[in-house]
Amino acid sequence: MKRVFFFSSSFLPLGVFLLLIGLAAPGDATAGKTVFTNRCQMCHGADGQGNPAMAKILKVEFPKMDSEYIQKKKDEEIKEIVTKGKGKMPPVQGISDSDIENVITYLRTFDDKK
């Protein structure tokens, strides 16, 4: 009986770790692409490289989504930019936390495309 307890307790840290990973699972990149297409693409472009026409109108240079500048940002930093705005980018209205999480997961795929 004691051996079973030892065996079980040796796997306890692994179980806790796996539970935490499950709780901190990233969003859904496919759902994030849909949100990006509907809410972000007009300015940031379908490929995440920015919409040149919109940049000219707004007199801005959009950061490329695959750039180190964007990819090094923590998820919370990106969430704050989306919800509060930054520079000429206004806050995105009516977007849920899960949509933001999904968009962030989708943005991370731009780094994979390099």
Side-chain angles (χ1 to χ4, degrees), residues 93-104:
Q93 300 294 321
I95 189 168
S96 69
D97 286 342
S98 64
D99 281 348
I100 294 170
E101 184 178 305
N102 293 338
V103 167
I104 291 169

Side-chain angles (χ1 to χ4, degrees), residues 2-111:
K2 191 171 187 177
R3 184 174 183 183
V4 172
F5 178 75
F6 175 76
F7 179 78
S8 297
S9 66
S10 66
F11 285 98
L12 183 61
L14 177 62
V16 171
F17 175 74
L18 292 174
L19 178 63
L20 290 175
I21 288 175
L23 293 175
D28 179 346
T30 302
K33 181 177 182 178
T34 300
V35 176
F36 184 89
T37 298
N38 294 329
R39 305 296 298 270
C40 313
Q41 180 175 307
M42 182 190 314
C43 293
H44 293 286
D47 61 358
Q49 301 300 300
N51 177 339
M54 188 62 75
K56 186 176 181 179
I57 290 168
L58 296 173
K59 298 179 179 152
V60 298
E61 185 176 326
F62 294 109
K64 295 176 179 1
M65 297 297 114
D66 64 353
S67 69
E68 187 174 338
Y69 173 76
I70 295 296
Q71 293 298 320
K72 277 192 154 187
K73 290 193 178 300
K74 295 179 181 172
D75 292 357
E76 283 303 313
E77 292 176 275
I78 295 172
K79 182 176 181 176
E80 186 170 328
I81 292 168
V82 170
T83 58
K84 296 182 179 178
K86 182 175 181 181
K88 290 191 176 183
M89 179 180 157
V92 179
Q93 300 294 321
I95 189 168
S96 69
D97 286 342
S98 64
D99 281 348
I100 294 170
E101 184 178 305
N102 293 338
V103 167
I104 291 169
T105 300
Y106 176 63
L107 290 181
R108 300 299 183 208
T109 69
F110 282 97
D111 193 42

